[in-house]
Amino acid sequence: MTGVSQATVSLVLNGRDDGSVRIAPETRERVLLAIRDTGYVADPVARRLAARHNRILGVFTYEPVFPAGTGDFYHPFLVGIEESAERLGCDLLLLTSAPVTDGRRRIFHDDNRLRLADGCVLLGRSLDRDELGRLVAEGHPFVSVGRRDDAGGPVPYVGADYTTATADVVRRTLDAGHTRLAYLGQGAGPESHADRFAGYRTALDAAGLPTRHEPTDRSPADLLDALLTAGVTAVMVEEYADGVALAAVAAERGLTVPADLSILALGDPTRPTTRDLEFTGFRIPRREMGWQAVEVLTGLLAAMPGTATQRLLPCQPVDGVTLLPPRH
Amino acid sequence: MTGVSQATVSLVLNGRDDGSVRIAPETRERVLLAIRDTGYVADPVARRLAARHNRILGVFTYEPVFPAGTGDFYHPFLVGIEESAERLGCDLLLLTSAPVTDGRRRIFHDDNRLRLADGCVLLGRSLDRDELGRLVAEGHPFVSVGRRDDAGGPVPYVGADYTTATADVVRRTLDAGHTRLAYLGQGAGPESHADRFAGYRTALDAAGLPTRHEPTDRSPADLLDALLTAGVTAVMVEEYADGVALAAVAAERGLTVPADLSILALGDPTRPTTRDLEFTGFRIPRREMGWQAVEVLTGLLAAMPGTATQRLLPCQPVDGVTLLPPRH
DNA sequence: TCAAGGCGCTAATACGAATTATCACGCCGA
DNA sequence: TCGGCGTGATAATTCGTATTAGCGCCTTGA
């Protein structure tokens, strides 16, 4: 249309104006006019092929991205991720095509789409160790939402400081006068659980008090029996929903929370449950985590030296109504 | 590594085995082994450039995809879309990079990423007419979630049949004995509003009863006054939250819903609101709509002749507690 | 007088895969 | 000996863009 070469169009299109490249203003105008007339837009795919990056951030979750039944625990993370992506002018690629093998999605498989994105945000309570190691080994730019132990190398992450937050909750409980505390949950396995338990143990050790660990495989009723028998007056629950179930059973028995038993929630519910009782404890800064995850990722991509690639954000204390001094 | 050419690797990788191409089983094995050893994966972008498709479906919303404050109205659509995409082995590209101009996101702009995806799902109460027309004119494969009027050509969509659903609600209201009904909402503008109003009008016309249209720009208190003055006994509300507000004002006045005033909800809340009162009316089959939208889109992409590209799904009636016969 | 550099643009190439026309080879029959 | 044929693999081209070395002419300064 304008009688210029493809290269010139490319230069005009990209507004190249630095010293090394010059386009006569008159030519530039002609080209711009033709672009406007035709509504021409460069093919993003070809563009990406040449440029080797494409302003796409991958989002990989080990559970469905839009959880139907998990009480939207992941939703706030995604809100944060989306907000950051929008601000940065990036698109998000939800890696939904990853096939499910042995009950979980796998990043690596024979038609792995990871390289579609410049980098990747990983979401999920527990990430597969092997896959994490491979990501590190192969040098894929990625960030985990949630702290992760090293996997053959440091793992970039934006996590919540469960250890400190849990220790704080324990201290508040001790300050209220409790001396017999129990921890209800796995306390091990995923980093988020281990970290909570570490905070619990540390705070009680510092106070010279014994720890007590209750597994989650019993019925709430049996659990309550065990707690009462042991004289426990305050329980820290790893999973919010377990606290709700415990409170419900206590109510059935004619006990009141927190007068007879204090219950402290170590985070937000990951399973759907009622929220009419506002538990004392802390909240996970989920949106902020998603937000910073994208920040860390783009920092990695730009190879910005100043960016901290392992971040722990403080949790937000919640006063709530489930902590009172023990009866005796 | 194997001493074969790039072409051979490509052929092996894609399992080409038709008559026109032959690979010696021994060679194929060698190549497959090397692929396994190195963990090689074809670059999806280059692949797309050559093959002209890449199993990526774009998702464009005129509001944030992960709504922070809009009460998650869009969430169920996305759940459906994700489920379909996963089943089909497609990835989803959230077009978050689209810049916001004049208060809304635009699909078309100078660095339009639409073509990164094979096709696109459009989400939003009202889509921009011009952009819709351009999508049709330029032949982009896309589907709208929600019925749309023609835009220079038929628009592929998966919508909810608001007209029929609203007419049904009106009939149920008439069957309960009401004769003075009002419609609260815009009743025009977006297709979803116009369709509801059309159903409302049709059902009342058929019954030989007058229609009454209340705009939404007044305070709930003023609105209630107007309704009572006019002797209205049942109100159909376009927007759930408006119904909640109306019920709240009624309660303040000492009136009871539905004894003194029946309120019928024409769909799910799009604004955050309380849901402790279960409104009579209908629900939008959002998940199913997302599900079928992907189906229509892939039908378009595969140019399958049998696929209906305009679908209206029935809404689900809700019995609820806000409809009773009028007092007099 | 001549080398150096400015000028505006383009030819050529790279990016990484998919596809196709073609080739070398060995074998068989005439 | 030669042509034809089935095999198995490859060289070359394509997709649409970004990038860069250099084109030939002219000006400048030493």
Side-chain angles (χ1 to χ4, degrees):
Chain A
M1 285 180 66
T2 58
V4 302
S5 71
Q6 174 264 324
T8 305
V9 175
S10 174
L11 295 174
V12 170
L13 203 60
N14 296 2
R16 289 282 299 273
D17 221 352
D18 39 63
S20 70
V21 164
R22 280 174 305 259
I23 307 283
E26 193 269 340
T27 309
R28 183 183 299 272
E29 276 316 309
R30 259 182 23 244
V31 173
L32 284 175
L33 201 65
I35 289 178
R36 245 164 251 143
D37 285 352
T38 57
Y40 171 81
V41 194
D43 184 336
V45 176
R47 197 167 236 195
R48 141 73 167 149
L49 188 63
R52 282 109 125 215
H53 65 89
N54 56 7
R55 305 180 76 72
I56 290 183
L57 303 182
V59 177
F60 186 92
T61 59
Y62 278 95
E63 7 260 312
V65 182
F66 306 114
T70 61
D72 297 349
F73 177 72
Y74 290 103
H75 199 260
F77 293 116
L78 293 168
V79 171
I81 292 172
E82 195 202 354
E83 286 172 352
S84 271
E86 176 167 4
R87 202 162 24 79
L88 293 167
C90 290
D91 293 316
L92 293 179
L93 183 69
L94 303 186
L95 296 163
T96 45
S97 71
V100 176
T101 320
D102 303 332
R104 59 185 330 175
R105 278 190 183 164
R106 318 213 129 266
I107 302 181
F108 292 102
H109 57 280
D110 35 328
D111 184 26
N112 150 6
R113 319 291 296 280
L114 204 57
R115 290 157 69 196
L116 264 174
D118 292 344
C120 191
V121 177
L122 264 45
L123 214 54
R125 184 160 9 282
S126 63
L127 302 187
D128 186 282
R129 214 101 235 92
D130 297 335
E131 298 207 307
L132 210 50
R134 188 160 163 195
L135 282 172
V136 173
E138 296 183 1
H140 290 281
F142 77 99
V143 185
S144 154
V145 174
R147 190 186 78 74
R148 308 293 163 186
D149 296 328
D150 281 11
V155 174
Y157 63 75
V158 175
D161 190 352
Y162 292 123
T163 310
T164 303
T166 302
D168 282 346
V169 169
V170 169
R171 273 190 291 274
R172 282 154 65 194
T173 307
L174 299 180
D175 289 348
H178 294 268
T179 53
R180 301 186 171 206
L181 281 64
Y183 180 100
L184 170 59
Q186 291 180 245
E191 287 85 348
S192 57
H193 293 171
D195 286 357
R196 285 180 174 93
F197 194 70
Y200 167 75
R201 179 184 295 278
T202 304
L204 281 184
D205 284 356
L209 288 171
T211 64
R212 183 182 176 88
H213 183 188
E214 300 290 342
T216 51
D217 51 4
R218 278 177 302 178
S219 73
D222 291 349
L223 172 66
L224 183 59
D225 284 337
L227 292 172
L228 295 178
T229 309
V232 169
T233 58
V235 192
M236 334 262 106
V237 294
E238 198 172 72
E239 165 57 46
Y240 196 101
D242 290 339
V244 172
L246 186 60
V249 171
E252 281 174 22
R253 299 269 184 90
L255 300 175
T256 38
V257 172
D260 298 302
L261 182 67
S262 290
I263 303 182
L264 294 303
L266 306 178
D268 304 84
T270 67
R271 301 201 304 265
T273 182
T274 61
R275 299 204 65 162
D276 31 87
L277 188 61
E278 199 196 5
F279 281 93
T280 304
F282 62 81
R283 269 202 248 290
I284 307 166
R286 290 178 285 183
R287 192 155 147 199
E288 175 78 17
M289 285 167 75
W291 209 68
Q292 290 208 24
V294 173
E295 204 171 278
V296 169
L297 185 54
T298 50
L300 283 176
L301 292 174
M304 297 201 304
T307 323
T309 57
Q310 298 195 326
R311 306 186 182 178
L312 275 188
L313 308 186
C315 295
Q316 181 198 344
V318 174
D319 273 345
V321 299
T322 59
L323 173 62
L324 268 185
R327 274 210 196 283
H328 312 289
Chain B
M1 285 181 64
T2 59
V4 302
S5 70
Q6 175 262 325
T8 305
V9 175
S10 173
L11 295 174
V12 170
L13 202 61
N14 297 0
R16 289 280 300 272
D17 220 354
D18 38 61
S20 69
V21 164
R22 282 175 306 259
I23 306 284
E26 192 269 341
T27 308
R28 182 184 299 273
E29 277 317 308
R30 257 183 24 245
V31 173
L32 284 175
L33 201 66
I35 289 178
R36 244 163 251 144
D37 285 352
T38 56
Y40 170 81
V41 200
D43 183 334
V45 176
R47 201 170 229 188
R48 156 91 164 127
L49 189 63
R52 339 290 253 287
H53 61 89
N54 58 3
R55 305 179 71 76
I56 291 184
L57 304 182
V59 177
F60 186 93
T61 60
Y62 278 95
E63 7 261 310
V65 182
F66 304 113
T70 61
D72 295 350
F73 178 72
Y74 290 103
H75 200 259
F77 294 116
L78 293 167
V79 171
I81 292 172
E82 194 204 354
E83 285 171 353
S84 271
E86 177 168 2
R87 202 161 25 77
L88 293 166
C90 290
D91 292 316
L92 292 181
L93 184 67
L94 303 187
L95 297 162
T96 45
S97 70
V100 176
T101 320
D102 303 330
R104 60 185 328 176
R105 279 189 183 165
R106 317 214 129 267
I107 301 181
F108 292 101
H109 56 281
D110 35 327
D111 183 26
N112 148 10
R113 321 288 297 279
L114 203 57
R115 289 153 71 194
L116 267 177
D118 292 346
C120 190
V121 176
L122 264 45
L123 215 54
R125 186 164 1 284
S126 64
L127 303 186
D128 187 281
R129 239 136 193 76
D130 297 336
E131 298 207 307
L132 210 50
R134 188 160 164 196
L135 282 171
V136 173
E138 296 183 2
H140 290 282
F142 78 98
V143 186
S144 154
V145 174
R147 189 186 80 74
R148 309 292 163 187
D149 295 329
D150 282 12
V155 175
Y157 63 75
V158 175
D161 189 352
Y162 293 124
T163 310
T164 303
T166 302
D168 282 345
V169 169
V170 169
R171 273 189 291 273
R172 282 154 64 194
T173 307
L174 298 180
D175 288 347
H178 294 268
T179 53
R180 302 187 169 204
L181 282 63
Y183 181 100
L184 169 60
Q186 291 179 246
E191 287 85 348
S192 58
H193 293 171
D195 287 357
R196 285 181 174 93
F197 194 69
Y200 167 76
R201 179 184 295 278
T202 305
L204 281 184
D205 284 356
L209 289 171
T211 64
R212 184 183 176 88
H213 183 190
E214 299 290 343
T216 51
D217 51 3
R218 279 176 302 177
S219 73
D222 290 350
L223 172 65
L224 184 60
D225 283 337
L227 292 172
L228 295 177
T229 307
V232 169
T233 59
V235 192
M236 334 263 106
V237 294
E238 199 172 71
E239 165 57 46
Y240 197 100
D242 290 339
V244 173
L246 185 60
V249 171
E252 282 174 20
R253 299 269 183 91
L255 299 176
T256 39
V257 173
D260 298 301
L261 182 66
S262 290
I263 303 182
L264 294 304
L266 306 178
D268 303 85
T270 67
R271 301 202 304 265
T273 181
T274 60
R275 299 203 63 162
D276 31 270
L277 188 60
E278 198 196 3
F279 281 93
T280 304
F282 62 81
R283 269 201 248 291
I284 307 166
R286 291 178 284 183
R287 193 155 145 198
E288 176 77 17
M289 284 167 74
W291 209 66
Q292 291 207 24
V294 173
E295 205 172 278
V296 168
L297 185 54
T298 50
L300 283 176
L301 293 175
M304 297 202 302
T307 323
T309 57
Q310 299 195 327
R311 306 185 183 179
L312 275 187
L313 308 186
C315 294
Q316 181 198 345
V318 174
D319 274 345
V321 299
T322 58
L323 173 61
L324 268 186
R327 275 211 196 281
H328 315 289

